């Protein structure tokens, strides 16, 4: 529990001084995309659509994508629609590679392209040779393989993503990419925080109750626990607390912490969350994001649909108030969000209630590892 308090305190420390809040979050063209557009050797890049830029390539089609009238992506159209729209493949990874290709083409020499790849920690390997070595002397050779692809696969998980492209003749192209939010997304952290909050508030993703409990073991004389996996330390776990009949525990008097952890793990029936609202204070890099309220079911439904793993912990008690921590871990991009809720047991049975919470976002996993190692 002391470790949980320590982690929470350090994650919130940088944002204890509130700044004036904005009534509305204004979404703009990401700065990274704006800089790329300015670097394009043509008079005007369309806000959205497919276009040619012969100064960069006579064979590649380029494209822009827009949202609410703002250009959000600029890329080289490398992959066919059957890949770009296939739900088997992560659109963030596809978008990154196509955006990276534009950045590489903007570099005039192979040496400059290699320098950019080193800066990003990306490796493009053709037939076993990284760009600039062996028989792989020009980026256009990689494009030849992409244009002749017979198979496309992605290996995700861990600290590096591996995109593998094969041709029918056996040529292989690997693109190794660090599993990093800072690299893969076109938004910087401030922009991404703005978008996260806006998406949360506009989300209509349904809350889904977890309905499959495994590895049930006795927790005490009265209830059982299911889960058994931890995140970095033993006290952050994916546990769900159950009655002996297999129902999620909801007992504000005897088990207030276990009840709240069940809520945060999405283990309770949806009707239980009716009237439960989170009042969230964001602790973010962007100090202009104001405090906001959101139904508990709406918050959890959005996060569920983003594919995060959930872990909870007991962060202690102060008088009659309890504190629980929810860690939401993104296994592909290696970052996490943390929500700390503060509540009294009577709020669990209040019907209409507002629960105060602090939210820290887009925390790189290695930062949390360092904090755990310090304590």
């Amino acid at each position: 529990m002391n470790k949980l308090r320590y982690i929470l305190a350090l994650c919130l420390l940088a944002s204890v001084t509130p700044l004036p809040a904005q009534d509305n979050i204004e979404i703009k063209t990401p700065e990274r995309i704006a800089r790329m557009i300015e670097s394009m050797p043509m008079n005007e890049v369309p806000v959205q659509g497919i276009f040619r830029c012969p100064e960069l390539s006579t064979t590649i089609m380029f494209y822009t994508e827009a949202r609410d009238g703002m250009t959000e992506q600029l890329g080289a159209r490398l992959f066919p629609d059957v890949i770009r729209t296939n739900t088997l493949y992560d659109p963030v990874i596809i978008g990154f590679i196509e955006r990276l290709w534009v950045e590489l083409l903007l570099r005039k020499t192979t040496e400059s392209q290699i320098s950019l790849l080193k800066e990003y920690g990306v490796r493009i390997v053709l037939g076993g040779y990284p760009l600039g070595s062996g028989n792989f002397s020009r980026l256009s050779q990689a494009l030849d393989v992409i244009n002749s692809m017979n198979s496309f696969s992605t290996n995700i998980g861990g600290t590096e993503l591996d995109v593998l492209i094969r041709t029918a003749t056996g040529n292989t192209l690997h693109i190794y990419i660090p599993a990093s939010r800072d690299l893969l997304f076109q938004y910087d952290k401030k922009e991404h925080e703005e978008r996260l909050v806006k998406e949360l508030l506009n989300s209509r993703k349904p809350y889904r109750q977890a309905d499959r409990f495994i590895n049930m073991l006795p927790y005490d004389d009265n209830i059982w626990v299911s889960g058994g996996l931890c995140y970095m330390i033993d006290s952050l776990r994916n546990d769900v607390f159950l009655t002996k009949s297999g129902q999620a525990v909801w007992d504000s008097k005897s088990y207030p912490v276990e009840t709240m952890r069940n809520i945060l793990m999405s283990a309770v029936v949806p009707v239980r969350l009716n009237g439960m609202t989170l009042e969230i204070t964001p602790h973010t890099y962007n100090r202009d994001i104001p405090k906001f309220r959101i139904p508990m079911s709406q918050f959890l439904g959005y996060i569920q649909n983003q594919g995060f793993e959930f872990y909870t912990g007991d962060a202690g008690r102060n008088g009659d108030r309890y504190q629980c921590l929810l860690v939401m871990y993104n296994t592909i991009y290696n970052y996490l969000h943390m929500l700390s809720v503060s509540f009294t047991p009577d709020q669990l049975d209040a019907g209409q209630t507002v629960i105060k919470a602090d939210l820290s976002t887009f925390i790189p996993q290695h930062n949390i590892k360092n904090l755990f190692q310090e304590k």
Side-chain angles (χ1 to χ4, degrees), residues 254-303:
S254 300
Y255 297 101
V257 169
E258 290 78 6
T259 299
M260 178 55 73
R261 290 177 66 180
N262 278 348
I263 293 170
L264 298 176
M265 286 295 298
S266 305
V268 302
V269 295
V271 68
R272 284 285 198 179
L273 301 183
N274 289 348
M276 186 173 289
T277 298
L278 289 171
E279 182 177 275
I280 293 178
T281 300
H283 295 266
T284 55
Y285 181 79
N286 183 352
R287 300 291 190 87
D288 290 336
I289 298 178
K291 182 184 300 185
F292 62 94
R293 290 188 177 188
I294 183 172
M296 176 73 83
S297 59
Q298 184 173 329
F299 179 90
L300 293 175
Y302 173 84
I303 298 296

Side-chain angles (χ1 to χ4, degrees), residues 334-375:
N334 279 315
Y335 69 80
L336 56 98
H337 305 314
M338 291 205 316
L339 184 78
S340 172
V341 298
S342 174
F343 67 100
T344 57
D346 61 286
Q347 286 186 289
L348 298 173
D349 300 318
Q352 299 290 325
T353 188
V354 176
I355 294 177
K356 295 185 181 300
D358 294 284
L359 177 65
S360 299
T361 59
F362 298 111
I363 307 164
Q365 182 181 226
H366 64 81
N367 283 6
I368 297 299
K369 284 184 176 178
N370 291 340
L371 292 178
F372 280 126
Q373 290 167 359
E374 287 178 17
K375 188 64 176 176

